[in-house]
PDB file of all heavy atoms in Angstrom:
ATOM      1  N   LEU D1021     -28.050 -11.044  83.826  1.00 32.00           N
ATOM      2  CA  LEU D1021     -28.095 -10.508  85.180  1.00 32.00           C
ATOM      3  C   LEU D1021     -29.506 -10.616  85.717  1.00 32.00           C
ATOM      4  O   LEU D1021     -30.456 -10.163  85.086  1.00 32.00           O
ATOM      5  CB  LEU D1021     -27.657  -9.033  85.174  1.00 32.00           C
ATOM      6  CG  LEU D1021     -26.202  -8.777  84.710  1.00 32.00           C
ATOM      7  CD1 LEU D1021     -25.928  -7.286  84.717  1.00 32.00           C
ATOM      8  CD2 LEU D1021     -25.243  -9.515  85.602  1.00 32.00           C
ATOM      9  N   ALA D1101      -5.878 -39.953  43.089  1.00 98.00           N
ATOM     10  CA  ALA D1101      -5.674 -39.357  41.763  1.00 98.00           C
ATOM     11  C   ALA D1101      -6.709 -38.274  41.481  1.00 98.00           C
ATOM     12  O   ALA D1101      -6.380 -37.199  40.943  1.00 98.00           O
ATOM     13  CB  ALA D1101      -5.731 -40.433  40.683  1.00 98.00           C
ATOM     14  N   PHE D1203       1.191 -37.014  61.562  1.00 98.00           N
ATOM     15  CA  PHE D1203       0.200 -38.056  61.284  1.00 98.00           C
ATOM     16  C   PHE D1203      -0.646 -38.263  62.541  1.00 98.00           C
ATOM     17  O   PHE D1203      -0.114 -38.472  63.632  1.00 98.00           O
ATOM     18  CB  PHE D1203       0.895 -39.364  60.904  1.00 98.00           C
ATOM     19  CG  PHE D1203      -0.035 -40.479  60.500  1.00 98.00           C
ATOM     20  CD1 PHE D1203      -0.421 -40.627  59.176  1.00 98.00           C
ATOM     21  CD2 PHE D1203      -0.509 -41.388  61.431  1.00 98.00           C
ATOM     22  CE1 PHE D1203      -1.264 -41.655  58.777  1.00 98.00           C
ATOM     23  CE2 PHE D1203      -1.356 -42.415  61.053  1.00 98.00           C
ATOM     24  CZ  PHE D1203      -1.732 -42.547  59.726  1.00 98.00           C
TER      25      PHE D1203
END
Side-chain angles (χ1 to χ4, degrees):
L1021 297 178
F1203 184 89

